[in-house]
Amino acid sequence: MGGGGGVPKIAGFHPLMGGGGGLFQPAPGGPGGLPANLSGWMANQSVVPHPSAAPSGPMGLGSPNNAGAILKRPQTPSGPIPMEYQTADSNHVSKRSRPYGTSEEGGNIPVNILPVTYAGHPHGHNNTLSPDDLPKVVVTTLAHGSPVMSIDFHPIQQIVLLVGTIGGDVYLWDLGARQRITEKGFDVWKLDACSKELQASLNADATASVNHVAWSPDGTLFGTMPTLLQLFIFSKSIGVAYSKSLVHIYSFQGGSDIRNHLEIEAHTGSVSHLAFSYPNKQLSVVTCGDDRIIKVWDAVTGEKRYTFEGHEAPVFSVCPHYKENIQFVFSTATDGKIKAWLYDNVGSRVDYDAPGHSSTRMAYSSDGTRLFSCGTNKEGESFLVEWNESEGSIKRTYLGLGQRAAGIVQFDTTRNRFLAAGDESTIKIWDMDNTNPLTTIHADGGLPASPCVRFNREGILLAVSTNDHGVRILATDDGIRLLRTAETRSFAPVMKVPAGGGGFGSSSANAGITMADRTNSFAAMENNEVRTLVDGKPRIADDLGERSRACKVTEITEPSQCCSMRLADNVPVTKVSRLIYTNSGSGVLALASNAVHKLWKWQKSDHNLAGKATANAQPVLWQPASGIMMTNETSDTNPEDAIPCFALSKNDSYVMSASGGKISLFNMMTFKTMTTFMPPPPAATFLAFHPLDNNIIAIGMEDSSIQIYNVRTDEVKTKLNGHQNRITGLAFSQALNILVSSGADSQLCVWSMDGWEKQSNKYLQVQHGRSLPAVSDTRVQFHLDQIHLLVVHETQIAIYDAQKLDWWMQWVRKEATGPITSATYSCDSQSIFVSFENGSVDVLTASNLRLRCRINPTAYLPPNPSSRVYPLVIAAHPSETNQFAVGLNNGAVHVVEPSETEGKWGTSPPLENGAAVPDN
């Protein structure tokens, strides 16, 4: 890889929180008039580790760092299906720095010289703070198209969140509205301005990973560091073939006004980290990378101002800071070296070793008076320490970090009192004055081994990355009040939050805030009815009836009102039984009733730079050179009578599928059948991969049983019995450690993933005077929070609390539409797409099940008076919140999304007294 001497690139660095406290006075006897702390750090410069830099006890210094071994990849079990690689924490870990803000007078000055204070608390360290002042309540989860690499809150507008992903996308979120303001995919702005070496590399491969994102002092600029790479997926490993060298700076003027500002070819090889600084009262960007160099750029013009050379390994992070009249930059490298630089050409003023020779990030407390670092070495040992700046020695070493980290542990500081580190799939908290851990925050589970963690400026919101490409937002009571207030006057258009995890009180432990607090009413909308749980009982409140009629539902009836495209298909026409997007978002996989699979893939082009599924570019009907097709084995009976099912592995490499005969495992690249197993009877009717091990699958059977099967050992681990008819749905929740099943008997069952014991069961709720069909498919799908459960039946859509199967809300179809044929959450769980037998598709707001938009068949289907065409299945794009695909009873597959002028399906209901007014 370029510029790194063969050392794998390592992403990202952690934050600089806040400002200087004036504790460092210029040292008269210090070299070059340096402040006392830098003089102290320099006093014992040596190529060997300084004794004072090593923590005592078993966490002492090890051998010189080998950066190539730092990022441990998960081990793959033997067997046909590889475990999913947790790319976000095994290949790249990144953070940002936040060294600046605005003064009370309105001028831009370094936050580093303006100590951060908190409402209700005196300045500086405050002994009245307790663990109860930390954000612990999960209020929403934000979905992204690929693993999250870096997170940063806006320094002023504290409900604005910036997120960068391994897929090269940068997302900007308004947390008050729970809405994505914008998404920026990677693109080279001026290819002809790039060096010939970079152009050649871009022509060879133009995919990108964002290593780090950071806001400028006043929040008007934000920067990203895309590291371009090519991923070769083998059965047990992922290799990085290329890394490239660009920094993008965007300008942000509020709302959705985001513009390209600067594109800088900053380094040879990967750009590891960036931070904003303010030397000589000029806003600058400090970058570092694989070429072992630190550079300082004018943030307005892009002109290079300084170059710092001296590291002997790729530079891992930078930490600009300000003390009195001295501006300086700490830098850390992958060999564990720490250096410090003034904004001159004299060279490094400090040469020390980080604890354990770890790849380390450094950060100051919010008031700039205390310096901390956190890092992980090649053996997976992690070190969180506070430095004595006057001596360049370790003041205290914090205990409790795991010693087998799968990635580089990240940390943050807040309120001049607490430290937080993402470690062992949790958020660990320390009081700055105590080396023992204070508490652990699990954030409802589902976190990667070394998650990204980030506090907002006031410390009342906490963002953490999740295993399923999400960012979970936690809040204190003050944070919840801030978000509630912001809901009604956010600068972005308001969208109501999704049920549970998308709204306040997504967990059963959320301080008594329940969905009933937000949607505590019933409204009749034509013949569609919504019922919500209030005080444990369904109740009807007629006072919303008139207001509900005043809110007009968006009706889409003409093709010009949306974008729709039928996917080209030369396979004989037969109805589409199952449909799913690939997890990458670049393909659609369908299983037809004749047991044949069809896979469409979108290619990158000038009109589709990301190569993602879209209704504006026709994909290729994929078929390998061998010409073989993925075709399931069938039973002796008519395959049209079978109940097809399939499940796709998270890395899109394998599909498990059945159509009434044996279960087949296909390689998605070659279409080859890897193995077949479990011949009927009974036949498989639903398949689901275990969330932690692709070799374990749950198989719903025609005889109403559920078999937990180990592909690697070819054995049934256990058999679950509890339903009275065939299994029609299975869904795992890693957060709750449960499996939820649904059957054609309209029953829901909850099973513990530990011992596979049944915890609870419940039949679907039915309104008075109505009845359920004796046999009917019931499907289940978890919300992003993995707490709330979407239940889909031909008569209704319902939301349950999965742990106890508490019923919260129900939406009952109107008779004119015919039965519900399918439904799914959008990728962000803010909407629910519902298809009907009359061909229409409804878009519901998930937080209250209010109808927001109706897409009539005339808008997306060609007229065909001789036959009745309608969707049998519907699937949501994994990263485009408003795109869905439908598989029709005539064998066609259509991709549908809003028109470019609208950008979304209808509008959310207006807010009244904090509650949503029904749409229809």
Side-chain angles (χ1 to χ4, degrees):
M1 56 192 292
V7 180
K9 70 179 173 57
I10 296 175
F13 167 68
H14 193 68
L16 295 186
M17 298 267 308
L23 295 184
F24 292 164
Q25 302 298 324
L34 295 176
N37 66 306
L38 290 186
S39 298
W41 279 63
M42 290 179 58
N44 297 294
Q45 289 187 48
S46 173
V47 294
V48 297
H50 190 282
S52 63
S56 60
M59 296 175 67
L61 293 174
S63 58
N65 191 15
N66 176 1
I70 289 176
L71 298 179
K72 306 280 179 84
R73 292 180 176 87
Q75 295 299 308
T76 304
S78 60
I81 308 175
M83 290 285 289
E84 309 301 345
Y85 293 105
Q86 298 181 6
T87 318
D89 43 278
S90 63
N91 284 339
H92 311 276
V93 185
S94 54
K95 294 309 289 179
R96 68 89 178 94
S97 61
R98 178 175 48 209
Y100 296 95
T102 55
S103 69
E104 292 180 1
E105 291 77 25
N108 295 338
I109 66 170
V111 169
N112 298 25
I113 62 172
L114 181 65
V116 178
T117 57
Y118 306 98
H121 300 303
H123 165 64
H125 189 82
N126 185 346
N127 291 324
T128 65
L129 292 173
S130 74
D132 294 334
D133 296 299
L134 292 164
K136 294 183 178 180
V137 177
V138 175
V139 294
T140 193
T141 300
L142 313 173
H144 304 88
S146 59
V148 170
M149 303 295 295
S150 182
I151 311 170
D152 195 13
F153 280 96
H154 193 285
I156 310 300
Q157 301 182 54
Q158 295 187 70
I159 59 170
V160 178
L161 185 70
L162 184 62
V163 178
T165 73
I166 197 172
D169 297 314
V170 177
Y171 296 81
L172 197 59
W173 294 91
D174 173 14
L175 300 183
R178 313 305 191 277
Q179 185 177 8
R180 185 180 66 196
I181 300 170
T182 190
E183 174 187 356
K184 293 281 187 181
F186 177 75
D187 184 23
V188 180
W189 302 345
K190 296 181 179 179
L191 184 61
D192 57 354
C194 298
S195 65
K196 292 182 178 179
E197 292 80 3
L198 180 56
Q199 289 186 46
S201 187
L202 287 166
N203 288 331
D205 176 42
T207 57
S209 171
V210 175
N211 276 356
H212 190 75
V213 293
W215 286 103
S216 69
D218 59 356
T220 59
L221 296 175
F222 66 88
T224 68
M225 300 166 313
T227 297
L228 289 96
L229 53 95
Q230 182 178 5
L231 296 179
F232 295 96
I233 302 179
F234 299 95
S235 62
K236 295 188 179 182
S237 67
I238 294 181
V240 180
Y242 297 100
S243 64
K244 302 180 179 69
S245 45
L246 291 174
V247 169
H248 282 171
I249 306 295
Y250 297 87
S251 64
F252 174 65
Q253 304 300 325
S256 58
D257 187 5
I258 298 170
R259 304 174 187 178
N260 297 352
H261 177 60
L262 286 177
E263 183 177 70
I264 303 172
E265 186 176 342
H267 295 271
T268 302
S270 170
V271 183
S272 304
H273 183 245
L274 66 75
F276 288 91
S277 65
Y278 208 69
N280 304 317
K281 299 183 180 180
Q282 292 180 310
L283 181 62
S284 301
V285 182
V286 184
T287 65
C288 62
D290 277 353
D291 57 6
R292 310 175 186 185
I293 298 173
I294 300 103
K295 297 181 182 179
V296 183
W297 311 84
D298 188 304
V300 178
T301 67
E303 177 186 355
K304 184 169 64 177
R305 295 189 174 278
Y306 303 97
T307 299
F308 304 145
E309 298 184 70
H311 277 291
E312 297 179 356
V315 184
F316 179 58
S317 67
V318 288
C319 176
H321 200 55
Y322 178 98
K323 291 289 182 180
E324 295 296 332
N325 296 319
I326 305 297
Q327 297 265 3
F328 57 93
V329 179
F330 281 116
S331 63
T332 69
T334 59
D335 59 1
K337 288 292 183 182
I338 298 174
K339 296 181 182 292
W341 317 79
L342 298 181
Y343 291 89
D344 58 25
N345 297 313
V346 176
S348 171
R349 302 306 213 278
V350 161
D351 189 357
Y352 255 67
D353 284 327
H357 291 277
S358 57
S359 292
T360 296
R361 302 169 181 83
M362 306 181 77
Y364 280 86
S365 58
S366 301
D367 60 7
T369 62
R370 304 173 71 171
L371 176 64
F372 303 89
S373 72
C374 184
T376 304
N377 67 14
K378 63 179 181 179
E379 288 80 25
E381 298 174 310
S382 299
F383 307 86
L384 177 60
V385 303
E386 181 178 7
W387 291 90
N388 183 330
E389 292 180 278
S390 64
E391 298 177 7
S393 62
I394 302 296
K395 183 175 182 178
R396 54 172 58 88
T397 299
Y398 297 91
L399 308 176
L401 286 175
Q403 296 304 294
R404 294 180 179 271
I408 297 178
V409 171
Q410 303 185 46
F411 81 123
D412 202 355
T413 72
T414 187
R415 298 193 173 203
N416 303 313
R417 177 65 182 273
F418 300 114
L419 297 168
D423 185 40
E424 295 182 312
S425 300
T426 63
I427 306 165
K428 297 178 180 179
I429 304 293
W430 290 262
D431 185 303
M432 289 179 177
D433 293 332
N434 193 325
T435 60
N436 292 313
L438 179 65
T439 188
T440 298
I441 299 174
H442 294 279
D444 287 353
L447 306 185
S450 302
C452 304
V453 291
R454 176 65 64 246
F455 289 100
N456 73 340
R457 188 188 65 200
E458 297 291 335
I460 58 178
L461 299 177
L462 171 62
V464 58
S465 60
T466 66
N467 266 328
D468 55 1
H469 308 174
V471 171
R472 198 163 288 160
I473 305 299
L474 290 75
T476 63
D477 290 344
D478 287 340
I480 291 174
R481 283 190 285 271
L482 171 66
L483 292 175
R484 279 179 164 169
T485 302
E487 272 188 317
T488 60
R489 47 188 175 87
S490 178
F491 68 87
V494 173
M495 288 182 67
K496 285 297 292 181
V497 306
F504 304 121
S506 65
S507 164
S508 57
N510 285 353
I513 301 172
T514 67
M515 184 174 291
D517 295 324
R518 301 190 305 276
T519 52
N520 56 358
S521 61
F522 163 93
M525 302 177 298
E526 302 177 55
N527 292 324
N528 294 87
E529 297 177 347
V530 174
R531 300 191 300 161
T532 63
L533 192 66
V534 183
D535 301 329
K537 299 178 181 179
R539 184 181 299 172
I540 296 177
D542 294 326
D543 61 319
L544 289 181
E546 290 304 317
R547 279 182 286 163
S548 71
R549 296 185 185 95
C551 301
K552 185 175 180 58
V553 174
T554 301
E555 287 273 352
I556 295 179
T557 58
E558 300 294 332
S560 60
Q561 295 177 276
C562 67
C563 295
S564 172
M565 180 180 64
R566 174 173 176 164
L567 306 189
D569 187 358
N570 56 10
V571 179
V573 173
T574 181
K575 66 182 180 182
V576 179
S577 300
R578 296 291 179 262
L579 189 69
I580 191 173
Y581 280 88
T582 58
N583 293 288
S584 66
S586 62
V588 169
L589 176 67
L591 173 57
S593 58
N594 64 353
V596 175
H597 299 78
K598 293 178 282 188
L599 174 63
W600 290 270
K601 289 186 177 182
W602 276 259
Q603 308 295 309
K604 292 184 178 180
S605 67
D606 293 340
H607 300 292
N608 186 14
L609 296 176
K612 298 291 182 69
T614 173
N616 294 311
Q618 186 68 240
V620 174
L621 182 60
W622 185 259
Q623 193 167 7
S626 63
I628 64 174
M629 302 182 70
M630 290 190 291
T631 305
N632 284 331
E633 294 190 12
T634 58
S635 63
D636 295 334
T637 60
N638 184 356
E640 296 279 345
D641 297 332
I643 299 174
C645 53
F646 65 16
L648 184 64
S649 66
K650 291 181 182 177
N651 60 8
D652 294 333
S653 296
Y654 300 91
V655 62
M656 194 88 68
S657 186
S659 296
K662 291 181 182 179
I663 300 173
S664 299
L665 174 65
F666 297 100
N667 183 307
M668 285 280 284
M669 292 297 294
T670 65
F671 286 12
K672 290 182 179 179
T673 304
M674 308 297 292
T675 186
T676 61
F677 54 95
M678 299 192 73
T685 56
F686 205 91
L687 300 167
F689 282 104
H690 192 287
L692 299 178
D693 188 347
N694 267 345
N695 293 290
I696 305 296
I697 55 174
I699 307 173
M701 312 298 288
E702 197 170 29
D703 68 353
S704 78
S705 67
I706 302 166
Q707 300 195 23
I708 308 301
Y709 180 76
N710 189 320
V711 179
R712 184 172 58 246
T713 61
D714 189 25
E715 63 178 353
V716 176
K717 295 181 61 176
T718 189
K719 185 176 181 179
L720 313 180
N721 293 295
H723 286 275
Q724 306 304 314
N725 211 313
R726 68 173 185 271
I727 304 302
T728 59
L730 296 168
F732 282 99
S733 169
Q734 188 176 341
L736 298 178
N737 200 38
I738 60 173
L739 168 68
V740 176
S741 60
S742 59
D745 55 1
S746 302
Q747 183 184 193
L748 306 174
C749 293
V750 177
W751 314 85
S752 168
M753 286 167 56
D754 288 332
W756 300 109
E757 297 175 350
K758 186 162 71 171
Q759 293 182 339
S760 59
N761 69 285
K762 189 170 290 186
Y763 285 89
L764 294 187
Q765 297 278 349
V766 62
Q767 288 183 284
H768 180 69
R770 298 193 181 190
S771 60
L772 296 175
V775 176
S776 180
D777 285 0
T778 304
R779 298 295 169 86
V780 287
Q781 180 188 4
F782 272 102
H783 185 282
L784 277 177
D785 64 6
Q786 297 190 39
I787 304 292
H788 299 105
L789 186 73
L790 172 65
V791 179
V792 181
H793 187 268
E794 67 175 66
T795 65
Q796 62 182 266
I797 301 293
I799 305 292
Y800 285 77
D801 181 318
Q803 194 160 24
K804 297 181 180 179
L805 287 183
D806 289 336
W807 172 66
W808 277 10
M809 286 192 295
Q810 183 186 64
W811 183 88
V812 181
R813 66 170 176 84
K814 68 175 187 176
E815 297 297 332
T817 63
I820 295 170
T821 59
S822 185
T824 182
Y825 274 125
S826 60
C827 63
D828 60 358
S829 294
Q830 292 188 5
S831 302
I832 300 172
F833 303 125
V834 188
S835 62
F836 298 90
E837 203 171 89
N838 73 344
S840 64
V841 176
D842 283 1
V843 183
L844 309 181
T845 299
S847 62
N848 50 28
L849 296 185
R850 298 296 189 255
L851 177 61
R852 187 166 80 240
C853 178
R854 175 163 294 144
I855 306 158
N856 291 293
T858 54
Y860 72 97
L861 295 179
N864 188 353
S866 62
S867 64
R868 186 167 64 97
V869 178
Y870 59 91
L872 290 175
V873 284
I874 191 166
H877 192 284
S879 58
E880 294 295 330
T881 56
N882 289 290
Q883 186 187 129
F884 61 85
V886 288
L888 306 179
N889 63 332
N890 68 353
V893 173
H894 287 250
V895 170
V896 187
E897 55 193 5
S899 65
E900 293 183 3
T901 56
E902 294 296 328
K904 59 183 179 180
W905 299 115
T907 57
S908 293
L911 296 174
E912 185 163 322
N913 298 325
V917 177
D919 305 79
N920 190 16

